[in-house]
Amino acid sequence: ARGGEGEGGGVVRARAAMRNPDAQVVPVEFSQTKLRACLSCSLIKTQRQFIDAGCDNCEPLLNLAGDAERVAECTSSAFTGCYSLMRPKESWVAKWQLTTKKVPGCYAIQIDAKLPEEVEELLSRGRIQRNRANAEC
């Protein structure tokens, strides 16, 4: 496995980040063609980061870690604008974007794609509140 991690190491990191509100998720590359946004919460990471660790906000329901096909279905590179979130509970931007309960990181302002219908149903059953960035999709 990469970086000396055992299988599932990315999932362990994602769960640890969810428990640690001070953990920050930062894309490791900044080329627009390499970045993708989660279609559920708008978190921006590289495809490799989504495959390695899943979505730090949505992993328990989306199960992206280790599944390149699922990452392709549930993320998109077709997004416009981004903002960095450092202290979600204190940020007026987080309140405006409905991301006060999300992990610190970079988020897309608008995504020009939709989650697959079966994933939408799964999220509605799990009562996950979707970000304002996806409201127009």
Side-chain angles (χ1 to χ4, degrees), residues 69-121:
E69 187 176 316
R70 185 79 162 174
V71 168
E73 290 175 346
C74 297
T75 67
S76 175
S77 60
F79 62 88
T80 306
C82 69
Y83 64 97
S84 295
L85 188 58
M86 302 299 284
R87 294 184 192 104
K89 290 181 173 71
E90 302 169 24
S91 169
W92 69 267
V93 174
K95 290 175 186 158
W96 180 259
Q97 294 291 334
L98 304 176
T99 54
T100 57
K101 295 181 181 178
K102 306 299 182 198
V103 299
C106 297
Y107 290 82
I109 293 174
Q110 181 176 353
I111 304 173
D112 300 323
K114 287 185 175 183
L115 278 167
E117 200 169 304
E118 68 275 2
V119 176
E120 284 280 1
E121 288 177 25

Short mmCIF file of all heavy atoms in Angstrom, two decimals, residues 69-121:
data_model
loop_
_atom_site.label_atom_id
_atom_site.label_comp_id
_atom_site.label_asym_id
_atom_site.label_seq_id
_atom_site.Cartn_x
_atom_site.Cartn_y
_atom_site.Cartn_z
N GLU A 69 -14.25 4.09 -9.12
CA GLU A 69 -15.50 4.25 -9.85
C GLU A 69 -16.51 5.08 -9.05
O GLU A 69 -17.17 5.96 -9.59
CB GLU A 69 -16.10 2.88 -10.18
CG GLU A 69 -17.31 2.95 -11.07
CD GLU A 69 -17.82 1.56 -11.46
OE1 GLU A 69 -16.98 0.70 -11.80
OE2 GLU A 69 -19.04 1.35 -11.41
N ARG A 70 -16.59 4.80 -7.76
CA ARG A 70 -17.50 5.55 -6.89
C ARG A 70 -17.07 7.02 -6.79
O ARG A 70 -17.89 7.92 -6.78
CB ARG A 70 -17.52 4.90 -5.51
CG ARG A 70 -18.51 5.48 -4.55
CD ARG A 70 -19.88 4.99 -4.83
NE ARG A 70 -20.71 5.23 -3.66
CZ ARG A 70 -21.99 5.02 -3.64
NH1 ARG A 70 -22.59 4.53 -4.69
NH2 ARG A 70 -22.68 5.26 -2.57
N VAL A 71 -15.73 7.25 -6.74
CA VAL A 71 -15.20 8.61 -6.71
C VAL A 71 -15.62 9.35 -7.98
O VAL A 71 -16.06 10.50 -7.93
CB VAL A 71 -13.67 8.62 -6.53
CG1 VAL A 71 -13.09 10.00 -6.81
CG2 VAL A 71 -13.29 8.16 -5.13
N ALA A 72 -15.54 8.69 -9.12
CA ALA A 72 -15.92 9.31 -10.40
C ALA A 72 -17.42 9.65 -10.41
O ALA A 72 -17.82 10.67 -10.98
CB ALA A 72 -15.58 8.38 -11.56
N GLU A 73 -18.25 8.82 -9.80
CA GLU A 73 -19.70 9.05 -9.75
C GLU A 73 -20.09 10.17 -8.80
O GLU A 73 -21.04 10.91 -9.07
CB GLU A 73 -20.43 7.79 -9.28
CG GLU A 73 -20.45 6.66 -10.23
CD GLU A 73 -21.10 5.42 -9.61
OE1 GLU A 73 -21.30 5.36 -8.38
OE2 GLU A 73 -21.39 4.50 -10.38
N CYS A 74 -19.39 10.27 -7.68
CA CYS A 74 -19.82 11.16 -6.59
C CYS A 74 -18.99 12.43 -6.45
O CYS A 74 -19.18 13.18 -5.49
CB CYS A 74 -19.82 10.39 -5.27
SG CYS A 74 -20.99 9.02 -5.25
N THR A 75 -18.05 12.66 -7.37
CA THR A 75 -17.28 13.90 -7.38
C THR A 75 -17.27 14.45 -8.80
O THR A 75 -17.57 13.73 -9.74
CB THR A 75 -15.83 13.68 -6.90
OG1 THR A 75 -15.12 12.87 -7.83
CG2 THR A 75 -15.78 13.06 -5.51
N SER A 76 -16.89 15.71 -8.94
CA SER A 76 -16.84 16.32 -10.26
C SER A 76 -15.74 17.38 -10.32
O SER A 76 -15.48 18.06 -9.32
CB SER A 76 -18.18 16.98 -10.59
OG SER A 76 -18.11 17.67 -11.81
N SER A 77 -15.15 17.50 -11.49
CA SER A 77 -14.18 18.59 -11.71
C SER A 77 -14.88 19.82 -12.28
O SER A 77 -14.26 20.86 -12.47
CB SER A 77 -13.07 18.13 -12.64
OG SER A 77 -13.61 17.76 -13.89
N ALA A 78 -16.19 19.73 -12.53
CA ALA A 78 -16.96 20.83 -13.10
C ALA A 78 -17.54 21.69 -11.97
O ALA A 78 -18.73 21.64 -11.67
CB ALA A 78 -18.08 20.29 -13.99
N PHE A 79 -16.68 22.47 -11.34
CA PHE A 79 -17.15 23.37 -10.29
C PHE A 79 -16.61 24.77 -10.55
O PHE A 79 -15.63 24.96 -11.24
CB PHE A 79 -16.75 22.86 -8.90
CG PHE A 79 -15.28 22.77 -8.64
CD1 PHE A 79 -14.57 23.87 -8.15
CD2 PHE A 79 -14.60 21.59 -8.88
CE1 PHE A 79 -13.22 23.78 -7.91
CE2 PHE A 79 -13.24 21.50 -8.64
CZ PHE A 79 -12.54 22.60 -8.15
N THR A 80 -17.30 25.75 -9.95
CA THR A 80 -16.94 27.14 -10.12
C THR A 80 -16.67 27.75 -8.76
O THR A 80 -17.49 27.62 -7.85
CB THR A 80 -18.09 27.93 -10.78
OG1 THR A 80 -18.46 27.27 -11.99
CG2 THR A 80 -17.68 29.36 -11.09
N GLY A 81 -15.53 28.40 -8.64
CA GLY A 81 -15.18 29.10 -7.41
C GLY A 81 -14.89 28.18 -6.25
O GLY A 81 -15.26 27.01 -6.26
N CYS A 82 -14.19 28.71 -5.28
CA CYS A 82 -13.93 27.95 -4.07
C CYS A 82 -13.66 28.91 -2.92
O CYS A 82 -13.39 30.09 -3.13
CB CYS A 82 -12.77 26.98 -4.26
SG CYS A 82 -11.16 27.76 -4.42
N TYR A 83 -13.80 28.40 -1.72
CA TYR A 83 -13.46 29.15 -0.53
C TYR A 83 -12.80 28.20 0.45
O TYR A 83 -13.02 27.00 0.43
CB TYR A 83 -14.70 29.82 0.10
CG TYR A 83 -15.75 28.87 0.60
CD1 TYR A 83 -15.81 28.52 1.94
CD2 TYR A 83 -16.70 28.32 -0.26
CE1 TYR A 83 -16.78 27.64 2.41
CE2 TYR A 83 -17.67 27.46 0.19
CZ TYR A 83 -17.70 27.12 1.53
OH TYR A 83 -18.65 26.25 1.98
N SER A 84 -11.93 28.76 1.27
CA SER A 84 -11.23 27.95 2.28
C SER A 84 -11.91 28.17 3.62
O SER A 84 -12.21 29.30 4.00
CB SER A 84 -9.76 28.35 2.37
OG SER A 84 -9.12 28.04 1.17
N LEU A 85 -12.13 27.09 4.31
CA LEU A 85 -12.83 27.11 5.58
C LEU A 85 -11.87 26.67 6.67
O LEU A 85 -11.38 25.55 6.65
CB LEU A 85 -14.02 26.16 5.48
CG LEU A 85 -15.03 26.11 6.59
CD1 LEU A 85 -15.64 27.48 6.83
CD2 LEU A 85 -16.12 25.12 6.24
N MET A 86 -11.56 27.57 7.59
CA MET A 86 -10.61 27.27 8.66
C MET A 86 -11.31 26.92 9.97
O MET A 86 -10.94 25.97 10.63
CB MET A 86 -9.66 28.45 8.87
CG MET A 86 -8.88 28.84 7.62
SD MET A 86 -7.84 27.52 7.00
CE MET A 86 -6.52 27.60 8.17
N ARG A 87 -12.26 27.74 10.36
CA ARG A 87 -13.00 27.54 11.62
C ARG A 87 -14.50 27.55 11.31
O ARG A 87 -15.17 28.58 11.45
CB ARG A 87 -12.65 28.65 12.61
CG ARG A 87 -11.21 28.61 13.05
CD ARG A 87 -10.92 29.68 14.11
NE ARG A 87 -9.50 29.79 14.30
CZ ARG A 87 -8.76 30.78 13.82
NH1 ARG A 87 -9.32 31.77 13.17
NH2 ARG A 87 -7.47 30.80 14.04
N PRO A 88 -15.02 26.40 10.91
CA PRO A 88 -16.41 26.34 10.44
C PRO A 88 -17.45 26.91 11.41
O PRO A 88 -18.37 27.59 10.98
CB PRO A 88 -16.65 24.85 10.22
CG PRO A 88 -15.30 24.25 10.09
CD PRO A 88 -14.38 25.11 10.88
N LYS A 89 -17.30 26.67 12.69
CA LYS A 89 -18.29 27.13 13.66
C LYS A 89 -18.28 28.64 13.86
O LYS A 89 -19.27 29.22 14.27
CB LYS A 89 -18.09 26.41 14.99
CG LYS A 89 -18.45 24.94 14.92
CD LYS A 89 -18.26 24.28 16.27
CE LYS A 89 -18.76 22.88 16.28
NZ LYS A 89 -18.00 21.92 15.56
N GLU A 90 -17.16 29.28 13.53
CA GLU A 90 -17.03 30.73 13.74
C GLU A 90 -17.18 31.53 12.45
O GLU A 90 -17.29 32.76 12.50
CB GLU A 90 -15.65 31.03 14.34
CG GLU A 90 -15.38 30.33 15.65
CD GLU A 90 -13.93 30.44 16.08
OE1 GLU A 90 -13.25 31.39 15.65
OE2 GLU A 90 -13.50 29.57 16.83
N SER A 91 -17.17 30.91 11.32
CA SER A 91 -17.11 31.59 10.03
C SER A 91 -18.47 32.04 9.52
O SER A 91 -19.41 31.25 9.43
CB SER A 91 -16.48 30.65 9.00
OG SER A 91 -16.62 31.16 7.71
N TRP A 92 -18.60 33.31 9.14
CA TRP A 92 -19.84 33.78 8.55
C TRP A 92 -20.00 33.18 7.15
O TRP A 92 -21.12 32.94 6.71
CB TRP A 92 -19.93 35.31 8.52
CG TRP A 92 -18.99 35.99 7.58
CD1 TRP A 92 -17.74 36.48 7.88
CD2 TRP A 92 -19.18 36.25 6.19
NE1 TRP A 92 -17.16 37.01 6.76
CE2 TRP A 92 -18.03 36.89 5.70
CE3 TRP A 92 -20.21 35.99 5.30
CZ2 TRP A 92 -17.88 37.28 4.38
CZ3 TRP A 92 -20.06 36.39 3.98
CH2 TRP A 92 -18.92 37.02 3.54
N VAL A 93 -18.89 32.91 6.46
CA VAL A 93 -18.96 32.28 5.14
C VAL A 93 -19.52 30.86 5.29
O VAL A 93 -20.37 30.44 4.50
CB VAL A 93 -17.58 32.26 4.45
CG1 VAL A 93 -17.63 31.47 3.15
CG2 VAL A 93 -17.08 33.67 4.20
N ALA A 94 -19.08 30.14 6.31
CA ALA A 94 -19.60 28.79 6.56
C ALA A 94 -21.09 28.84 6.85
O ALA A 94 -21.85 27.97 6.40
CB ALA A 94 -18.85 28.14 7.71
N LYS A 95 -21.54 29.84 7.57
CA LYS A 95 -22.98 29.98 7.85
C LYS A 95 -23.74 30.25 6.54
O LYS A 95 -24.79 29.66 6.30
CB LYS A 95 -23.23 31.10 8.85
CG LYS A 95 -22.76 30.74 10.23
CD LYS A 95 -22.90 31.89 11.19
CE LYS A 95 -22.28 31.49 12.52
NZ LYS A 95 -21.89 32.62 13.34
N TRP A 96 -23.20 31.12 5.70
CA TRP A 96 -23.82 31.46 4.42
C TRP A 96 -23.88 30.24 3.50
O TRP A 96 -24.86 30.00 2.81
CB TRP A 96 -23.05 32.60 3.78
CG TRP A 96 -23.61 33.04 2.47
CD1 TRP A 96 -23.15 32.72 1.23
CD2 TRP A 96 -24.74 33.87 2.25
NE1 TRP A 96 -23.91 33.29 0.26
CE2 TRP A 96 -24.91 34.02 0.86
CE3 TRP A 96 -25.64 34.51 3.11
CZ2 TRP A 96 -25.93 34.77 0.30
CZ3 TRP A 96 -26.65 35.26 2.54
CH2 TRP A 96 -26.78 35.38 1.16
N GLN A 97 -22.80 29.45 3.49
CA GLN A 97 -22.70 28.28 2.61
C GLN A 97 -23.24 27.00 3.25
O GLN A 97 -23.20 25.94 2.64
CB GLN A 97 -21.23 28.05 2.21
CG GLN A 97 -20.63 29.15 1.36
CD GLN A 97 -21.23 29.20 -0.03
OE1 GLN A 97 -21.72 28.21 -0.55
NE2 GLN A 97 -21.19 30.37 -0.64
N LEU A 98 -23.75 27.10 4.47
CA LEU A 98 -24.30 25.95 5.21
C LEU A 98 -23.25 24.86 5.42
O LEU A 98 -23.53 23.67 5.28
CB LEU A 98 -25.53 25.38 4.49
CG LEU A 98 -26.67 26.37 4.22
CD1 LEU A 98 -27.77 25.70 3.42
CD2 LEU A 98 -27.20 26.95 5.51
N THR A 99 -22.04 25.27 5.81
CA THR A 99 -20.96 24.31 6.03
C THR A 99 -20.39 24.40 7.45
O THR A 99 -19.24 24.02 7.68
CB THR A 99 -19.82 24.50 5.00
OG1 THR A 99 -19.39 25.86 5.02
CG2 THR A 99 -20.27 24.13 3.60
N THR A 100 -21.16 24.88 8.41
CA THR A 100 -20.65 25.04 9.77
C THR A 100 -20.32 23.71 10.45
O THR A 100 -19.55 23.68 11.39
CB THR A 100 -21.64 25.82 10.67
OG1 THR A 100 -22.89 25.13 10.66
CG2 THR A 100 -21.81 27.25 10.19
N LYS A 101 -20.89 22.61 9.98
CA LYS A 101 -20.62 21.30 10.58
C LYS A 101 -19.65 20.46 9.74
O LYS A 101 -19.48 19.28 9.99
CB LYS A 101 -21.93 20.53 10.77
CG LYS A 101 -22.84 21.22 11.77
CD LYS A 101 -24.12 20.46 11.98
CE LYS A 101 -25.00 21.21 12.98
NZ LYS A 101 -26.27 20.53 13.19
N LYS A 102 -19.01 21.08 8.77
CA LYS A 102 -18.08 20.37 7.89
C LYS A 102 -16.65 20.53 8.41
O LYS A 102 -16.36 21.41 9.22
CB LYS A 102 -18.16 20.91 6.46
CG LYS A 102 -19.56 20.90 5.87
CD LYS A 102 -20.13 19.52 5.78
CE LYS A 102 -21.52 19.57 5.15
NZ LYS A 102 -22.30 18.39 5.38
N VAL A 103 -15.75 19.67 7.93
CA VAL A 103 -14.35 19.75 8.32
C VAL A 103 -13.70 20.97 7.66
O VAL A 103 -14.13 21.38 6.58
CB VAL A 103 -13.56 18.47 7.95
CG1 VAL A 103 -14.13 17.25 8.65
CG2 VAL A 103 -13.50 18.27 6.45
N PRO A 104 -12.70 21.56 8.29
CA PRO A 104 -11.97 22.64 7.63
C PRO A 104 -11.35 22.14 6.33
O PRO A 104 -10.91 20.99 6.24
CB PRO A 104 -10.88 23.00 8.64
CG PRO A 104 -11.44 22.58 9.96
CD PRO A 104 -12.23 21.32 9.65
N GLY A 105 -11.36 22.98 5.31
CA GLY A 105 -10.80 22.60 4.02
C GLY A 105 -11.23 23.57 2.95
O GLY A 105 -11.71 24.67 3.23
N CYS A 106 -11.06 23.18 1.69
CA CYS A 106 -11.46 23.99 0.54
C CYS A 106 -12.77 23.44 -0.01
O CYS A 106 -12.92 22.22 -0.16
CB CYS A 106 -10.38 23.95 -0.54
SG CYS A 106 -8.82 24.67 0.01
N TYR A 107 -13.71 24.33 -0.32
CA TYR A 107 -15.04 23.94 -0.78
C TYR A 107 -15.41 24.67 -2.07
O TYR A 107 -15.09 25.85 -2.24
CB TYR A 107 -16.10 24.24 0.29
CG TYR A 107 -15.98 23.32 1.48
CD1 TYR A 107 -15.07 23.57 2.49
CD2 TYR A 107 -16.77 22.18 1.57
CE1 TYR A 107 -14.94 22.71 3.57
CE2 TYR A 107 -16.65 21.32 2.64
CZ TYR A 107 -15.73 21.58 3.64
OH TYR A 107 -15.61 20.73 4.69
N ALA A 108 -16.11 23.98 -2.95
CA ALA A 108 -16.60 24.58 -4.19
C ALA A 108 -17.82 25.45 -3.89
O ALA A 108 -18.63 25.12 -3.03
CB ALA A 108 -16.99 23.50 -5.18
N ILE A 109 -17.95 26.54 -4.61
CA ILE A 109 -19.11 27.42 -4.44
C ILE A 109 -20.29 26.88 -5.25
O ILE A 109 -21.41 26.85 -4.77
CB ILE A 109 -18.76 28.86 -4.85
CG1 ILE A 109 -17.74 29.42 -3.85
CG2 ILE A 109 -20.02 29.73 -4.90
CD1 ILE A 109 -17.19 30.77 -4.20
N GLN A 110 -20.06 26.43 -6.47
CA GLN A 110 -21.12 25.85 -7.29
C GLN A 110 -20.55 24.66 -8.06
O GLN A 110 -19.45 24.73 -8.59
CB GLN A 110 -21.68 26.86 -8.28
CG GLN A 110 -22.79 26.28 -9.12
CD GLN A 110 -23.42 27.32 -10.04
OE1 GLN A 110 -23.10 28.49 -9.98
NE2 GLN A 110 -24.30 26.86 -10.90
N ILE A 111 -21.32 23.59 -8.13
CA ILE A 111 -20.91 22.39 -8.87
C ILE A 111 -21.94 22.16 -9.97
O ILE A 111 -23.14 22.16 -9.72
CB ILE A 111 -20.83 21.16 -7.94
CG1 ILE A 111 -19.89 21.44 -6.78
CG2 ILE A 111 -20.37 19.94 -8.74
CD1 ILE A 111 -19.87 20.36 -5.74
N ASP A 112 -21.43 21.94 -11.17
CA ASP A 112 -22.31 21.74 -12.34
C ASP A 112 -22.49 20.26 -12.63
O ASP A 112 -22.22 19.80 -13.74
CB ASP A 112 -21.73 22.47 -13.55
CG ASP A 112 -21.60 23.96 -13.32
OD1 ASP A 112 -22.49 24.53 -12.65
OD2 ASP A 112 -20.62 24.56 -13.78
N ALA A 113 -22.95 19.51 -11.64
CA ALA A 113 -23.19 18.07 -11.79
C ALA A 113 -24.13 17.63 -10.67
O ALA A 113 -24.34 18.36 -9.71
CB ALA A 113 -21.88 17.30 -11.71
N LYS A 114 -24.71 16.45 -10.83
CA LYS A 114 -25.62 15.89 -9.83
C LYS A 114 -25.12 14.54 -9.36
O LYS A 114 -24.49 13.81 -10.10
CB LYS A 114 -27.01 15.70 -10.43
CG LYS A 114 -27.79 16.94 -10.67
CD LYS A 114 -29.17 16.58 -11.16
CE LYS A 114 -30.04 17.79 -11.29
NZ LYS A 114 -31.41 17.44 -11.69
N LEU A 115 -25.47 14.21 -8.12
CA LEU A 115 -25.21 12.88 -7.61
C LEU A 115 -26.11 11.88 -8.33
O LEU A 115 -27.23 12.23 -8.72
CB LEU A 115 -25.52 12.80 -6.11
CG LEU A 115 -24.47 13.30 -5.15
CD1 LEU A 115 -25.07 13.46 -3.76
CD2 LEU A 115 -23.28 12.38 -5.11
N PRO A 116 -25.65 10.64 -8.49
CA PRO A 116 -26.54 9.61 -9.04
C PRO A 116 -27.80 9.49 -8.16
O PRO A 116 -27.75 9.70 -6.95
CB PRO A 116 -25.70 8.34 -8.97
CG PRO A 116 -24.29 8.81 -8.92
CD PRO A 116 -24.32 10.13 -8.20
N GLU A 117 -28.92 9.15 -8.79
CA GLU A 117 -30.20 9.08 -8.08
C GLU A 117 -30.17 8.16 -6.86
O GLU A 117 -30.71 8.49 -5.81
CB GLU A 117 -31.29 8.62 -9.06
CG GLU A 117 -32.68 8.98 -8.60
CD GLU A 117 -33.70 8.75 -9.69
OE1 GLU A 117 -33.53 9.31 -10.80
OE2 GLU A 117 -34.65 8.00 -9.43
N GLU A 118 -29.50 7.00 -6.99
CA GLU A 118 -29.47 6.06 -5.86
C GLU A 118 -28.67 6.63 -4.69
O GLU A 118 -28.98 6.36 -3.53
CB GLU A 118 -28.92 4.68 -6.27
CG GLU A 118 -27.45 4.65 -6.65
CD GLU A 118 -27.16 5.01 -8.10
OE1 GLU A 118 -28.10 5.34 -8.85
OE2 GLU A 118 -26.00 4.95 -8.48
N VAL A 119 -27.68 7.46 -4.97
CA VAL A 119 -26.91 8.10 -3.90
C VAL A 119 -27.75 9.18 -3.25
O VAL A 119 -27.74 9.33 -2.02
CB VAL A 119 -25.58 8.66 -4.44
CG1 VAL A 119 -24.82 9.41 -3.35
CG2 VAL A 119 -24.71 7.55 -5.02
N GLU A 120 -28.51 9.93 -4.03
CA GLU A 120 -29.44 10.93 -3.48
C GLU A 120 -30.41 10.28 -2.50
O GLU A 120 -30.65 10.81 -1.42
CB GLU A 120 -30.23 11.61 -4.60
CG GLU A 120 -29.45 12.62 -5.39
CD GLU A 120 -29.34 13.98 -4.71
OE1 GLU A 120 -29.86 14.15 -3.60
OE2 GLU A 120 -28.71 14.84 -5.31
N GLU A 121 -30.95 9.13 -2.88
CA GLU A 121 -31.88 8.41 -2.00
C GLU A 121 -31.19 7.99 -0.71
O GLU A 121 -31.76 8.11 0.37
CB GLU A 121 -32.44 7.19 -2.72
CG GLU A 121 -33.42 7.53 -3.81
CD GLU A 121 -33.91 6.29 -4.55
OE1 GLU A 121 -33.90 5.19 -3.97
OE2 GLU A 121 -34.31 6.45 -5.72
#
